[in-house]
């Protein structure tokens, strides 16, 4: 098993859900955490807990991954000691709405595509050249079972996750020979703020998504991310597809 102690782990969307929990899991490994999200206050609230959990250091900064110029300037402005990123976790992402495609809102489509696809590309483009130069690094991106099979009302979100799968696959080919590793972690339903964000704060509707079944927890996903990142340097985990026992694919659930 490779050690993560002292490694620089950069997580986008670390202010909530899977990202925040993944930060905690890497903290337990003694990593140095470089954390970004739009809500800097939320990141700052988590700092002490991460240090107490074992993080060697924590550096938080505000970032909107949809803003290409901001991504470029924020990454270039990082203190030199935070530049050699060992692990990038492309986690920032969201879904908006559950409308039929032909009734969908253009602003919802744009927000999902700008965040989940273009944001992923901007951050990857800013970080991977340094990994290639140094001859080491690992890009772990959050895909989804939604990227494999669409579900009703989810066409655009599912398409963004299908894009993630193929961008990840293409990146793995492009870095072949550089020792940079590339992984997609593809969970099914995980209970986080995801549904609340999807339904713009309608908590009753969000709660229904998880009713009558046991969803994955953010800890389940964080464990898979840390596991992939801690394999020996010659082992590349290409994809981890994981669901709760109550989910078979994007559309089949066992609700009690
Ligand atoms: P979440 O609890 O809503 O957290 C999403 C995170 O992304 C937040 O920290 C949010 O931070 C950040 N984010 C959103 N837009 C951003 C932007 N423009 N720039 C920077 N950060 C941004 O949702 P989650 O479930 O943890 O989702 C994390 C990832 O897992 C997403 O890529 C999602 O598609 C994927 N995923 C989730 C599930 C699920 O069922 N929950 C299943 C499969 C895959 P700020 O709002 O502070 O910016």
């Amino acid at each position: 098993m490779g050690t993560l102690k002292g490694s620089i782990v950069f997580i986008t969307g670390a202010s909530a859900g899977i990202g925040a929990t993944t930060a905690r899991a890497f903290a337990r490994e003694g990593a140095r955490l470089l954390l970004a999200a739009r809500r800097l206050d939320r990141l700052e609230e988590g700092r002490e807990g991460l240090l107490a959990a074992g993080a060697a250091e924590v550096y938080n900064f505000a970032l909107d991954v949809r803003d290409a110029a901001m991504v470029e300037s924020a990454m270039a402005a990082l203190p030199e000691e935070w530049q050699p990123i060992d692990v990038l976790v492309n986690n920032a992402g969201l879904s908006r709405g559950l409308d039929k495609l032909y009734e969908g809102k253009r602003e919802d489509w744009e927000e999902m595509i700008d965040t989940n696809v273009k944001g992923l590309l901007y951050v990857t483009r800013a970080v991977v050249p340094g990994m290639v130069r140094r001859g080491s690094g690992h890009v772990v991106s959050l895909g989804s079972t939604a990227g494999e099979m669409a579900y009703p009302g989810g066409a655009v979100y599912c398409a963004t996750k299908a894009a993630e799968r193929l961008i990840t696959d293409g990146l793995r080919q492009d870095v072949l020979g550089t020792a940079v590793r590339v992984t997609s972690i593809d969970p099914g339903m995980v209970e986080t703020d995801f549904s609340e964000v999807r339904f713009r704060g309608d908590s009753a509707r969000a709660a229904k998504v998880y009713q009558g079944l046991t969803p994955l927890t953010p800890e389940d996903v964080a464990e898979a991310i840390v596991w992939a990142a801690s394999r020996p340097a010659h082992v590349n985990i290409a994809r981890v597809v994981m669901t709760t026992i109550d989910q078979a694919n994007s559309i089949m659930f066992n609700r009690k």
Side-chain angles (χ1 to χ4, degrees):
M1 177 167 152
T3 178
L4 292 163
K5 203 171 170 61
S7 296
I8 300 182
V9 178
F10 173 32
I11 305 173
T12 65
S15 61
I18 295 168
T21 307
T22 300
R24 179 67 70 118
F26 277 110
R28 289 195 291 267
E29 301 297 320
R32 296 170 67 201
L33 300 174
L34 184 56
L35 305 179
R38 290 166 302 179
R39 290 171 293 176
L40 184 58
D41 54 331
R42 289 278 294 258
L43 293 175
E44 285 300 330
E45 281 165 26
R47 172 192 295 277
E48 286 311 314
L50 292 171
L51 290 169
E57 272 181 281
V58 178
Y59 185 100
N60 295 325
F61 65 106
L63 186 70
D64 185 336
V65 298
R66 295 172 299 178
D67 183 338
M70 186 184 191
V71 170
E72 250 177 60
S73 63
M75 298 313 293
L78 286 177
E80 209 172 319
E81 64 273 23
W82 285 97
Q83 297 271 352
I85 293 165
D86 296 295
V87 180
L88 161 63
V89 183
N90 274 318
N91 166 76
L94 82 184
S95 64
R96 286 295 198 193
L98 204 56
D99 301 317
K100 290 182 190 296
L101 185 79
Y102 61 87
E103 293 168 349
K105 297 180 188 64
R106 201 178 63 200
E107 57 272 24
D108 286 349
W109 300 348
E110 283 171 357
E111 194 175 0
M112 289 187 277
I113 293 168
D114 287 351
T115 309
N116 302 358
V117 182
K118 291 162 77 179
L120 169 86
L121 288 170
Y122 299 153
V123 175
T124 301
R125 179 67 182 84
V127 173
V128 175
M131 292 180 168
V132 169
R133 260 196 317 277
R134 291 186 298 278
S136 79
H138 194 159
V139 180
V140 181
S141 300
L142 267 293
S144 171
T145 52
E148 196 124 19
M149 182 193 278
Y151 52 80
V156 175
Y157 175 71
C158 294
T160 67
K161 291 299 172 180
E164 177 282 335
R165 179 162 53 83
L166 290 177
I167 289 166
T168 297
D169 194 28
L171 176 64
R172 191 179 309 106
Q173 297 173 33
D174 290 345
V175 296
L176 187 64
T178 69
V180 174
R181 299 188 285 175
V182 183
T183 300
S184 185
I185 302 285
D186 300 355
M189 181 185 283
V190 188
E191 190 163 9
T192 62
D193 292 346
F194 183 82
S195 296
E196 232 177 285
V197 171
R198 162 167 262 167
F199 301 128
R200 296 187 185 274
D202 182 342
S203 351
R205 192 170 177 202
K208 277 206 187 113
V209 173
Y210 310 108
Q211 232 165 40
L213 53 70
T214 305
L216 288 177
T217 65
E219 286 76 14
D220 297 326
V221 182
E223 260 182 43
I225 294 171
V226 170
W227 172 76
S230 56
R231 295 310 85 210
H234 70 286
V235 177
N236 188 84
I237 304 298
R239 284 180 77 198
V240 175
V241 182
M242 57 192 295
T243 63
T244 155
I245 194 70
D246 287 335
Q247 177 174 11
N249 55 34
S250 286
I251 53 171
M252 292 177 69
F253 295 92
N254 172 45
R255 288 189 201 270
K256 283 144 203 124

